[in-house]
Amino acid sequence: MTQPFGARLRAAMTDRGPLCPGIDPHASLLEAWGLPDTADGCERFAMTAVEALAPVVSSIKPQSAFFERHGSRGVAVLEKVIAASREAGCLVILDVKRGDIGTTAQAYADAYLDPASPLASDAITASPYLGFGSLLPMIETAARHGAGVFALALTSNPEAPRFQHARTADGSTIAGEVLAGLRAANEGADPLGSFGAVVGATIGSTDEALDINGPLLVPGIGAQGGTAEDVRRIFGAAVRNVVPTSTREILGAGPSVQALRDAAARANDQFAALL
């Protein structure tokens, strides 16, 4: 990868639109598709989604846990999903939400961001709650290989505000500290930094500054209740950097490849007009 992730993401969003569908082989979705909840069912589900979506969207977001629950065979399927998606010209944002310190954080970085790994992706999600500095091995590895990192900042689960809105000794919030760290990591990047924040579409509102010169991965679209208008209201001037992600609403249209593609096109058009 010769260009930084942020530059590649901006170009892909311009070419294919902003939508980032999730690929989550959840047991209920496998059942809805008439597939067994096995590694074989997981593979048929995931590769059908890749066939439908990877050639037409700018990025996809496989949720690693739904593959890992099938053990080594499930992880092998995830490797296929990553490789096939990238071959189709689609960026892969691997949703792993890893977080640790020192050599363990570096091992996670090597697993997901080093091109030598079979799980190497264009970007990953990460948890900064051992301190923003704990992400440095991932950020530095990503920078070295032209990859990206999305840190959890303002998530929409009901437990989040009590923790993310807590204030540090200098008065800033935990979420604000995460956003400030990302803003510093993206300083001077053009056209877009490679280090983004995860901010839910259903948080209601925020006083935090979301313009971090980096991408904003926004789950909660569609089945979880988030709308394009919510995104416009929450993100304001930073809306052009939003990467909206929708999973159940799109995957629920399967197993028809064309129906999946049509569902993605509808969502993509809605957000392309907004952004």
Side-chain angles (χ1 to χ4, degrees), residues 3-272:
Q3 284 189 306
F5 170 71
R8 293 186 293 120
L9 179 61
R10 175 64 80 207
M13 291 170 68
T14 300
D15 183 43
R16 295 188 176 188
L19 183 71
C20 176
I23 298 185
D24 298 6
H26 191 284
S28 64
L29 284 169
L30 292 174
E31 181 180 9
W33 282 29
L35 296 172
D37 188 16
T38 62
D40 288 337
C42 174
E43 180 168 6
R44 288 173 60 191
F45 177 95
M47 296 311 291
T48 299
V50 169
E51 178 188 354
L53 302 173
V56 297
V57 298
S58 56
S59 62
I60 61 162
K61 184 176 70 66
Q63 169 46 260
S64 181
F66 289 111
F67 295 87
E68 292 173 31
R69 69 193 187 92
H70 295 291
S72 60
R73 292 185 62 197
V75 174
V77 173
L78 180 58
E79 292 177 6
K80 290 182 180 180
V81 166
I82 294 168
S85 298
R86 298 180 79 187
E87 286 171 7
C90 182
L91 300 177
V92 176
I93 301 171
L94 185 57
D95 196 357
V96 288
K97 298 185 180 73
R98 298 296 192 245
D100 215 303
I101 60 172
T103 56
T104 307
Q106 184 61 60
Y108 282 136
D110 294 340
Y112 302 119
L113 300 171
D114 189 323
S117 168
L119 289 168
S121 300
D122 296 283
I124 59 170
T125 58
S127 173
Y129 297 121
L130 289 171
F132 188 83
S134 68
L135 298 183
L136 287 180
M138 299 182 201
I139 289 173
E140 291 169 355
T141 302
R144 191 161 59 250
H145 296 300
V149 176
F150 289 88
L152 302 176
L154 288 163
T155 59
S156 52
N157 55 303
E159 305 88 355
R162 183 174 179 85
F163 186 75
Q164 293 167 356
H165 295 179
R167 296 197 175 270
T168 66
D170 65 5
S172 61
T173 64
I174 299 295
E177 289 287 306
V178 174
L179 293 166
L182 294 167
R183 191 176 296 110
N186 290 323
E187 185 175 1
D190 182 61
L192 185 68
S194 297
F195 307 108
V198 179
V199 179
T202 56
I203 62 171
S205 64
T206 182
D207 294 327
E208 302 291 352
L210 297 177
D211 192 354
I212 58 170
N213 191 32
L216 299 161
L217 187 65
V218 182
I221 304 296
Q224 292 175 262
T227 67
E229 187 51 44
D230 291 330
V231 171
R232 184 198 302 274
R233 175 176 48 78
I234 293 168
F235 291 88
V239 73
R240 68 184 300 270
N241 296 333
V242 163
V243 181
T245 179
S246 177
T247 301
R248 282 178 284 173
E249 182 169 306
I250 293 171
L251 297 179
S256 161
V257 167
Q258 190 58 53
L260 286 163
R261 196 165 286 180
D262 290 346
R266 287 191 297 272
N268 211 2
D269 289 348
Q270 183 180 30
F271 280 94

